[in-house]
Amino acid sequence: MYTSLSHDYQYLDAICSNSTPNNADGDCLAQNGVHDKDSKSSGLTKLEKIPFKFMDMHHDVYNLVIKPYIEEENILPKTGITVIHFDGSIDNLAPEDMQLRLQLQPSTPGLLFDNIGIEYWLKNMAEDGYLKHVVWFKPPWTKGVNDGHRNVCVKSESGSEHEVILDIRTLGRSVFEDVEEDFQDFQSYITEHLSADDPYVIDLELNFFSADNTFTEDHDKCPEYYKKLYELFKIKEPASMSSVDIQVAAEERKKQLNELEEIFKYMHENKAMPSNKCDYSENYKKVSKFREELLKYYEDTDRELHWQHIFDAGRVCNDYQLPVHYTERSDIEKMVKDCVGKILNMLPSPPLAVTVAIMYDYCRQSPEKDLDFIIELLKDLFNSKYNMDCANFIGY
């Protein structure tokens, strides 16, 4: 479950020390092949080819790929993993069911948030203690969160805490904004924070290259469907920007989403509203009215009304909607070769694995032929730099 409070991002960027690393010289071109390391990755299973996994849904990355590589196949270590993450959406930024404490200046008390973050599958990876560092490259059209450095403490339901470094960088301004890309800064950062013996994986979502918010087009037979959905999931703003009031708002948001999820899950499984509630809450009444409106235009079947999909659309309704950016093929090619490709050249060693999320059903970022075009470009790029095993598609 996620929450994406717009005011939280503004507050975070106002108080967070977005430090940039000191410049460091060095040529850290990645070498072809797989890891053969003597320190942090020693003892891992050595593969002739680097796993290159494509899948439909991004949340499958951890359970179907990363976790088995750690716990069963010994391809990834049990601690200290860095994820180089290329993603264009902020809808998955902050799971609402965890607490994130920002470590500000040493003399400043830590602040608790449910509102800054890392993708849901990365959150699970952090809770299990495997994740150390996330470097998130986002395209210029992704709004709602600024570039910068955050030290985040992930608190799991069991009470254990794990610190994760989250660094956000915008990549692609040279393609879309006609400004020079600061690759020297990227190189300095990577040189400082990623050594040749640090275990890392590369993860990409195709909406980094081209994006569409198809949720706004769903159920268009119902007048103002998306507006009604927005009102149902509307976020209650905090009384003030104090940490206490933000925490109260986050807790209320958590309660709201939990209840809505329970109702929508019941509707998905039973094709009816829950009938065992003694006291019908305000959220229950709103969902019931929303359902009645939709049933005027659609039949209650998974084909016409997929309630889980509608819930997923609702929980990303906020002031920062899913990004929409239709990218021409020529610019997609530049993003792959001139942006992602140059970042790969800066990495000090090959990744232990590469994952790609297509997200076709949820995003349909561009026509299917363009998705295939992006996939082929990525396969060509990674094959040109590493010895890749890209024969395995999962769920696509």
Side-chain angles (χ1 to χ4, degrees):
M1 296 177 288
Y2 316 95
T3 182
S4 187
L5 303 179
S6 60
H7 57 75
D8 296 336
Y9 295 131
Q10 296 166 359
Y11 183 65
L12 170 70
D13 290 319
I15 65 173
C16 194
S17 176
N18 291 335
S19 59
T20 55
N22 295 327
N23 289 335
D25 296 328
D27 185 8
C28 298
L29 295 180
Q31 302 296 315
N32 278 324
V34 295
H35 292 263
D36 186 12
K37 299 181 177 179
D38 297 325
S39 55
K40 297 180 182 178
S41 295
S42 62
L44 297 178
T45 301
K46 299 295 188 292
L47 301 176
E48 292 184 4
K49 293 184 176 182
I50 299 172
F52 197 10
K53 303 296 185 182
F54 290 79
M55 60 209 66
D56 182 19
M57 302 305 296
H58 216 162
H59 58 246
D60 288 333
V61 170
Y62 184 57
N63 289 330
L64 297 184
V65 180
I66 302 299
K67 194 170 185 178
Y69 280 1
I70 296 170
E71 299 181 354
E72 300 172 15
E73 302 181 45
N74 198 36
I75 295 172
L76 296 173
K78 288 183 167 58
T79 186
I81 299 175
T82 293
V83 175
I84 310 295
H85 183 63
F86 297 86
D87 195 342
S89 63
I90 64 170
D91 59 304
N92 296 330
L93 270 180
E96 56 81 23
D97 57 349
M98 73 170 176
Q99 292 183 328
L100 299 167
R101 185 173 65 236
L102 299 179
Q103 307 293 337
L104 305 177
Q105 302 301 326
S107 60
T108 304
L111 298 178
L112 290 175
F113 289 91
D114 278 344
N115 53 19
I116 174 62
I118 45 184
E119 281 208 344
Y120 188 43
W121 69 271
L122 290 172
K123 170 257 187 181
N124 290 339
M125 189 176 174
E127 281 189 345
D128 289 339
Y130 304 139
L131 184 63
K132 167 192 169 186
H133 191 177
V134 178
V135 183
W136 174 26
F137 288 102
K138 65 182 183 71
W141 61 79
T142 297
K143 308 298 181 182
V145 61
N146 291 339
D147 290 10
H149 174 95
R150 287 94 169 164
N151 291 328
V152 178
C153 185
V154 179
K155 184 177 181 181
S156 67
E157 292 182 1
S158 65
S160 61
E161 294 186 356
H162 303 278
E163 183 173 314
V164 176
I165 301 170
L166 172 64
D167 284 292
I168 300 175
R169 296 286 186 272
T170 298
L171 179 65
R173 290 193 173 103
S174 59
V175 178
F176 301 104
E177 298 179 355
D178 196 26
V179 297
E180 185 176 352
E181 208 82 53
D182 195 352
F183 285 111
Q184 184 176 356
D185 176 65
F186 294 153
Q187 177 68 83
S188 299
Y189 177 82
I190 291 172
T191 300
E192 181 174 344
H193 292 276
L194 192 67
S195 66
D197 63 350
D198 284 331
Y200 76 94
V201 300
I202 296 174
D203 173 72
L204 307 98
E205 184 171 319
L206 294 196
N207 67 8
F208 176 79
F209 304 99
S210 187
D212 189 13
N213 180 4
T214 59
F215 288 138
T216 60
E217 302 169 5
D218 290 345
H219 308 105
D220 55 4
K221 287 192 290 186
C222 179
E224 298 186 317
Y225 157 77
Y226 199 67
K227 181 179 178 180
K228 294 172 182 176
L229 187 66
Y230 174 90
E231 290 298 321
L232 183 61
F233 282 81
K234 190 174 182 179
I235 298 169
K236 183 179 179 180
E237 299 289 331
S240 74
M241 290 297 100
S242 71
S243 60
V244 173
D245 285 339
I246 288 179
Q247 183 65 31
V248 170
E251 290 297 326
E252 290 180 356
R253 177 64 169 170
K254 176 180 177 179
K255 182 179 179 181
Q256 175 196 22
L257 287 180
N258 283 345
E259 184 176 10
L260 289 173
E261 182 180 37
E262 180 182 346
I263 295 172
F264 274 87
K265 181 179 179 181
Y266 186 94
M267 290 196 299
H268 177 70
E269 294 174 350
N270 299 280
K271 307 304 176 188
M273 290 290 293
S275 58
N276 58 347
K277 288 182 174 289
C278 297
D279 297 318
Y280 294 119
S281 67
E282 192 65 28
N283 285 326
Y284 181 97
K285 295 174 183 177
K286 289 180 180 179
V287 174
S288 180
K289 182 178 179 180
F290 175 73
R291 179 175 176 273
E292 290 175 1
E293 284 291 316
L294 283 179
L295 289 177
K296 294 177 182 177
Y297 304 94
Y298 298 93
E299 295 183 9
D300 197 353
T301 65
D302 283 349
R303 184 175 180 83
E304 292 207 348
L305 291 177
H306 194 289
W307 293 111
Q308 183 60 52
H309 184 79
I310 294 173
F311 174 79
D312 290 338
R315 68 182 175 188
V316 299
C317 285
N318 53 69
D319 293 337
Y320 291 104
Q321 301 294 344
L322 294 176
V324 175
H325 190 278
Y326 302 100
T327 308
E328 298 292 336
R329 283 195 171 195
S330 59
D331 288 334
I332 291 175
E333 195 163 0
K334 292 176 183 176
M335 285 286 282
V336 172
K337 295 180 179 179
D338 298 340
C339 294
V340 176
K342 287 185 178 179
I343 295 298
L344 297 187
N345 286 340
M346 297 176 186
L347 300 175
S349 58
L352 292 175
V354 178
T355 58
V356 179
I358 296 164
M359 302 291 288
Y360 179 76
D361 286 339
Y362 279 82
C363 299
R364 297 197 292 275
Q365 292 93 338
S366 53
E368 187 171 359
K369 61 184 179 179
D370 283 349
L371 295 178
D372 294 336
F373 177 70
I374 299 171
I375 290 169
E376 290 305 314
L377 285 175
L378 291 174
K379 290 169 68 175
D380 290 344
L381 173 67
F382 280 91
N383 276 321
S384 71
K385 299 192 179 290
Y386 310 116
N387 186 16
M388 304 298 299
D389 180 6
C390 57
N392 197 338
F393 282 69
I394 300 176
Y396 176 69

